Amino acid sequence: MKSEESQFPEKKPQRKTIPLYMKAISGSLGGIMEASCLQPIDVIKTRLQLDRSGNYKGIIHCGTTITRSEGVRALWKGLTPFATHLTLKYTLRMGSNAMFQGAFKDSETGKISNKGRLLSGFGAGVLEALAIVTPFEVVKIRLQQQRGLSPELLKYKGPVHCARMIIREEGILGLWAGAAPTVMRNGTNQAAMFTAKNAFDVLLWKKHEGDGKVLQPWQSMISGFLAGTAGPVCTGPFDVVKTRLMAQTRDGGALKYKGMIHAIRTIYAEEGLLALWKGLLPRLMRIPPGQAIMWAVADQVTGFYERRYLRGAPL
């Protein structure tokens, strides 16, 4: 006859983890800081990607041309939707990634494999692309491509007016123009970014999940910067196609690009292979520093919660 111990095995105490809402809050605060610092680079990137006639000779020329012809404030065009979009995006990204990682973690050890980390990041990227990124970026790009500052000369008077005009002229699905390349870009980006961030934390600072160690802000910035470099190079074509699809309107009749594959083929045929990586340098100037800023804030927020309430919970 089996003993009582074998019939009722002792339960292992569950390891406490940082709750999803804290991960979400950490992402939202990081997004606000990133948007405030890096909006001008995003405006320049969008203008370069939409420049088919070669009006801008590079990043510096584009920035000085915008400032000279439209004023310094033009470099912060679309800031409201950009900041709102980044805040909501990082809230969803960090929260959903934590949720997916929880599903992939080993129930005994609490650890997650690299495959699980990649799939969690990809899932978070797809979710944010469909729920938040696509409609907000459609509005942002439509606002950024407008030249000048005089309200009476602009088609779109602001974010809300822009969204209403798009819905009126193109239908509700007009806000999801370019959804396919956005899903591919964001899914791939986040799969690479979350996996690389963890790898750099381990490699550079011997920081492992669950060890109770909280990185200094400068350490988080270095890991975040390095983790943010691979995505833009790999997903450049998706980003260019996304921008072109989002920017086109039906004002002139038929749409130039019929979809993601058609856009890639058309851009390649008309402008050459390198045109699919237009705006890469400003993306590299914006995304890695943006990840550095975001992770510096996010790691401190989750670290504060851990030190105050959990004392050694897995990050």
Side-chain angles (χ1 to χ4, degrees), residues 268-283:
Y268 173 73
E270 294 181 354
E271 304 172 51
L273 180 64
L274 291 181
L276 290 169
W277 275 269
K278 272 189 174 181
L280 176 61
L281 187 54
R283 281 191 83 204

Side-chain angles (χ1 to χ4, degrees), residues 31-43 73-87 136 139-141 143-144 158-159:
I32 293 172
M33 183 66 73
E34 178 185 340
S36 302
C37 296
L38 301 179
Q39 172 70 359
I41 296 176
D42 193 72
V43 171
R73 284 190 300 129
L75 290 173
W76 273 267
K77 274 186 175 180
L79 177 60
T80 300
F82 184 57
T84 305
H85 140 247
L86 270 190
T87 302
F136 273 93
V139 171
K140 175 179 71 75
I141 286 172
L143 291 172
Q144 287 179 346

Side-chain angles (χ1 to χ4, degrees), residues 62-291:
C62 180
T64 54
T65 301
I66 294 172
T67 303
R68 185 168 57 251
S69 60
E70 304 173 47
V72 175
R73 284 190 300 129
L75 290 173
W76 273 267
K77 274 186 175 180
L79 177 60
T80 300
F82 184 57
T84 305
H85 140 247
L86 270 190
T87 302
L88 293 175
K89 178 176 73 173
Y90 283 136
T91 300
L92 180 60
R93 176 188 297 176
M94 300 293 279
S96 62
N97 181 71
M99 178 186 68
F100 289 134
Q101 285 197 2
F104 283 112
K105 278 182 178 178
D106 185 283
S107 58
E108 293 290 327
T109 64
K111 294 181 178 179
I112 182 171
S113 66
N114 285 332
K115 180 181 178 181
R117 202 179 299 280
L118 278 168
L119 290 174
S120 297
F122 189 84
V126 170
L127 193 59
E128 72 180 21
L130 292 175
I132 295 171
V133 176
T134 302
F136 273 93
E137 288 214 359
V138 168
V139 171
K140 175 179 71 75
I141 286 172
R142 296 288 179 90
L143 291 172
Q144 287 179 346
Q145 71 176 341
Q146 297 186 126
R147 302 179 187 277
L149 284 174
S150 180
E152 61 272 12
L153 300 178
L154 301 178
K155 177 179 180 178
Y156 305 118
K157 314 304 180 186
V160 176
H161 179 259
C162 179
R164 287 175 177 171
M165 288 287 289
I166 292 171
I167 294 172
R168 184 182 307 133
E169 295 176 356
E170 306 169 40
I172 188 68
L173 292 181
L175 290 172
W176 274 266
T182 306
V183 164
M184 292 302 299
R185 183 198 67 170
N186 282 58
T188 306
N189 265 342
Q190 302 328 312
M193 190 272 292
F194 279 109
T195 304
K197 173 62 166 59
N198 179 75
F200 283 121
D201 283 349
V202 173
L203 180 66
L204 297 177
W205 322 118
K206 310 301 181 189
K207 162 65 183 168
H208 297 267
E209 291 192 17
D211 62 5
K213 180 179 179 181
V214 180
L215 298 178
Q216 294 296 317
W218 64 270
Q219 293 174 314
S220 297
M221 292 185 78
I222 292 174
S223 294
F225 184 95
L226 294 174
T229 56
V233 177
C234 299
T235 62
F238 293 128
D239 193 61
V240 171
V241 169
K242 169 199 71 73
T243 301
R244 296 286 180 91
L245 290 174
M246 290 179 173
Q248 65 180 357
T249 66
R250 298 184 181 276
D251 290 347
L255 297 176
K256 179 180 177 67
Y257 306 115
K258 311 303 181 186
M260 181 173 69
I261 302 301
H262 180 260
I264 291 175
R265 289 175 175 172
T266 303
I267 294 169
Y268 173 73
E270 294 181 354
E271 304 172 51
L273 180 64
L274 291 181
L276 290 169
W277 275 269
K278 272 189 174 181
L280 176 61
L281 187 54
R283 281 191 83 204
L284 289 172
M285 291 176 63
R286 189 191 74 74
I287 293 177
Q291 291 302 302

Side-chain angles (χ1 to χ4, degrees), residues 2-48:
K2 293 183 179 179
S3 64
E4 286 190 24
E5 286 80 1
S6 61
Q7 290 178 352
F8 302 100
E10 184 180 349
K11 290 184 178 179
K12 294 181 180 179
Q14 287 192 338
R15 302 172 71 193
K16 292 182 179 179
T17 59
I18 294 175
L20 295 183
Y21 73 85
M22 280 307 302
K23 293 287 186 78
I25 290 173
S26 72
S28 68
L29 294 176
I32 293 172
M33 183 66 73
E34 178 185 340
S36 302
C37 296
L38 301 179
Q39 172 70 359
I41 296 176
D42 193 72
V43 171
I44 291 172
K45 182 213 75 166
T46 300
R47 291 289 183 90
L48 286 173

